[in-house]
Amino acid sequence: MQKTTKPLNNFKITSVILAVIIIISSCASGQLGKNNSGEYENGMVVSAHPEASHVGVEILKKGGNAVDAAVAVQFALAVVYPNAGNIGGGGFMVYRSASGEINTLDFREKAASGASRDMYLDSAGNPIVDKSLYGHLASGVPGSVDGMVEAHKKYGKLSWAEVVQPAIDLAANGFKITKRQAAELNGLHRNLMDFNPNGTAFVNLESPWKESDLLVQKELANTLKLIQEKGRAGFYEGAVADSVVAEMQRGKGLITKEDLKNYHSAWRKPITGMYRGYKIITMPPTSSGGIALIQLLQSVEPYPLKKWGFNSDSTVQLIVEAERRVYADRATHLGDPDFYAVPQVGLLKAEYNKSRMANFNWNAATPSSSVLAGEIKGSEHEETTHFSIVDHDENAVSITTTLNGSYGSLVAVKGAGFLLNNEMDDFSVKPGAPNMYGLVGGEANAIAPNKRMLSSMTPSIVEKDGKLFMVVGTPGGSTIITSVFQTIINVIDFDMSMQKAVAAKKFHHQWLPDEVYLEKDAMDSLSIEKLKAKGYKILIRGPIGRVDAILRTKWGTYQGGADPRGDDVAVGY
Ligand code: GLY
């Protein structure tokens, strides 16, 4: 795609001079494409695993565009990051082309045709918690492979075979696991054995996994090869589909051959909104994330966050009250738009979100019990993964993809070598009953055959003055929305670099339970005491989010933000 050429104004001339200095200094340091601030000029991939980030950049260097790289990274993560990277799950893509075209792809899983509203309730009508979380019945029909086929068909430049090949190589030849992965696999040893009595590559029968051990996945390599040769038919039909159905029969799951064959991802119109002059491009339902993100930004925009400062008591109090109201809306109004009329227009009105904040009282916390959804006229279990990509032409891709829980349902399809999701838990199993993230829901997100379960994933792209500004997203279950929100305001309101904004300590509130979660050292103790005195229940918890993001600087270079909470790596060129 061509960049438009416009006359240079003074600022641009200064920028060009600075860019020339940057290029000269980076050539002098022998790192073509990288300047002395660790910024890159040609493109960048930020993902949860070093191998996957490198795969993406190699595709860019070969002349692939951001979508080619995204497809390669999605498949690579299915090999090297099996706790969330997947072909047995689903996700969302937000796309912005160099020329400003925007689009989103919903490749979220669907409930099987045999699914029913009360399928996870006992005879007394109470949720059987583990039933939607572990084993064969917890899985929705996977969407990732169809999503990648569709994305590549519409926007890809390299051949399909070229973008799938790196994942095949990683699966067939093996890759060295990180220390974190060795610990996770050892921690799950017993569960993986129980759910996969016929064996799986993730179980090491000889000795516990150690850092740098080679994880070879022959069955997965064969599956990827079939996908490479036959496209979607290589996964949704033939030998792989047979293996999925055999697995379902073994574990009394619901997914049938017809369910697989009938699965299709959906292109959807992006949600857009403005915040302090920046345009936010984000994911519509089936994600709740995009609507909730814009609602949060609209709720806080009238207030001087910059003056109050990063994570000051006033900033945190305001944001917590906004989050309380937005998550109350989420619980009532959001679900699969193909099944439920989501009142999107009303929820995205700035006046609506301003009016929701009208009853907020600076002197005391608003109890969540007194906050209902507005009336609209008109840690380990947070495993999802996000990657951000920008190519040489400034096409950008923001993908969040998931199996839901870490290693999904823990069932690896025998003969096909991939893990199945436990995404059914993202439905509202019973009105008012919390899911594993403590989120509640009702009619909008009730289980129905072939329906998509509501998500919080919030892959997003930010524009400034018609140019790309940021590509951002994160895993984290219910905390996804608030982590993306905080990363955006960390840059826009608190002038942080991309890496600093990603690493900055985060906090979270979600209406119910009526508790504020803080990462350790997210606020100073005096500010915490001030909030407690106003009635906020504050709990310190483990890491929140694992944001992977890219910022385009005013000089046109790319800053990566790779979350230090994981093994995440930004690779540019
Ligand atoms: N499974 C997490 C989400 O989609 O929000």
Side-chain angles (χ1 to χ4, degrees), residues 15-44:
S15 304
V16 169
I17 293 169
L18 277 167
V20 170
I21 293 169
I22 287 164
I23 289 165
I24 291 170
S25 58
S26 55
C27 291
S29 67
Q31 291 173 288
L32 190 61
K34 185 182 185 189
N35 70 22
N36 288 338
S37 322
E39 293 165 3
Y40 291 84
E41 285 136 27
N42 293 315
M44 182 172 266

Side-chain angles (χ1 to χ4, degrees), residues 81-98:
Y81 192 63
N83 39 347
N86 67 82
I87 54 173
F92 301 121
M93 172 174 97
V94 176
Y95 171 75
R96 181 187 184 277
S97 77

Side-chain angles (χ1 to χ4, degrees), residues 541-559:
R541 56 155 275 178
I544 297 181
R546 204 166 146 177
V547 180
D548 283 335
I550 300 172
L551 189 72
R552 184 184 175 278
T553 68
K554 51 189 161 200
W555 300 290
T557 54
Y558 301 121
Q559 282 183 0

Side-chain angles (χ1 to χ4, degrees), residues 92 108 330 383-384 402-405 423 426 437 454-457 477-478 480:
F92 301 121
R108 182 76 161 163
R330 181 195 188 279
E383 287 297 345
T384 291
T402 190
L403 289 167
N404 195 20
E423 219 71 65
D426 272 350
Y437 303 115
L454 185 62
S455 171
S456 299
M457 295 190 285
S478 56
I480 290 175

Side-chain angles (χ1 to χ4, degrees), residues 146-205:
D146 187 75
M148 293 306 101
V149 170
E150 285 300 315
H152 182 261
K153 205 159 59 182
K154 198 169 180 74
Y155 295 116
K157 207 164 103 184
L158 297 184
S159 71
W160 176 247
E162 272 175 296
V163 296
V164 182
Q165 189 60 45
I168 297 175
D169 294 340
L170 284 164
N173 305 331
F175 72 98
K176 288 183 179 170
I177 61 172
T178 66
K179 189 172 170 187
R180 192 184 304 267
Q181 289 181 306
E184 282 168 2
L185 287 169
N186 291 332
L188 283 173
H189 181 86
R190 173 54 42 204
N191 294 331
L192 286 166
M193 293 266 284
D194 288 348
F195 282 103
N196 301 281
N198 301 321
T200 158
F202 304 116
V203 168
N204 190 343
L205 292 169

Side-chain angles (χ1 to χ4, degrees), residues 362-555:
W362 279 111
N363 298 321
T366 312
S368 282
S369 54
S370 73
V371 175
L372 299 177
E375 210 183 304
I376 309 297
K377 299 186 183 76
S379 81
E380 93 186 280
H381 283 304
E382 295 178 348
E383 287 297 345
T384 291
T385 190
H386 177 82
F387 53 96
S388 295
I389 300 181
V390 182
D391 68 23
H392 183 65
D393 291 327
E394 281 181 22
N395 301 299
V397 172
S398 187
I399 286 187
T400 313
T401 180
T402 190
L403 289 167
N404 195 20
S406 197
Y407 297 86
S409 63
L410 299 175
V411 175
V413 178
K414 190 63 205 154
F418 64 90
L419 285 154
L420 284 166
N421 66 81
N422 60 341
E423 219 71 65
M424 290 297 285
D425 191 64
D426 272 350
F427 276 116
S428 175
V429 165
K430 182 184 177 183
N435 74 355
M436 76 167 160
Y437 303 115
L439 291 167
V440 292
E443 187 54 37
N445 191 31
I447 303 173
N450 305 314
K451 185 176 175 183
R452 290 181 160 97
M453 54 297 286
L454 185 62
S455 171
S456 299
M457 295 190 285
T458 316
S460 301
I461 294 177
V462 184
E463 244 181 45
K464 169 82 174 150
D465 300 330
K467 300 279 290 174
L468 177 70
F469 182 69
M470 191 192 295
V471 188
V472 59
T474 183
S478 56
T479 69
I480 290 175
I481 302 162
T482 52
S483 295
V484 169
F485 165 77
Q486 287 170 75
T487 307
I488 291 173
I489 65 167
N490 283 349
V491 173
I492 295 178
D493 291 272
F494 303 122
D495 298 323
M496 292 186 197
S497 69
M498 194 71 263
Q499 185 58 44
K500 206 164 164 206
V502 164
K505 299 289 181 187
K506 303 210 164 47
F507 59 93
H508 174 74
H509 182 68
Q510 59 179 46
W511 179 52
L512 295 175
D514 194 349
E515 291 162 351
V516 181
Y517 304 107
L518 289 187
E519 283 189 299
K520 193 167 171 294
D521 301 327
M523 292 178 81
D524 63 69
S525 49
L526 191 62
S527 300
I528 293 177
E529 289 315 314
K530 279 192 196 166
L531 291 184
K532 281 186 176 167
K534 291 179 181 180
Y536 292 91
K537 186 171 174 197
I538 300 206
L539 300 173
I540 306 295
R541 56 155 275 178
I544 297 181
R546 204 166 146 177
V547 180
D548 283 335
I550 300 172
L551 189 72
R552 184 184 175 278
T553 68
K554 51 189 161 200
W555 300 290

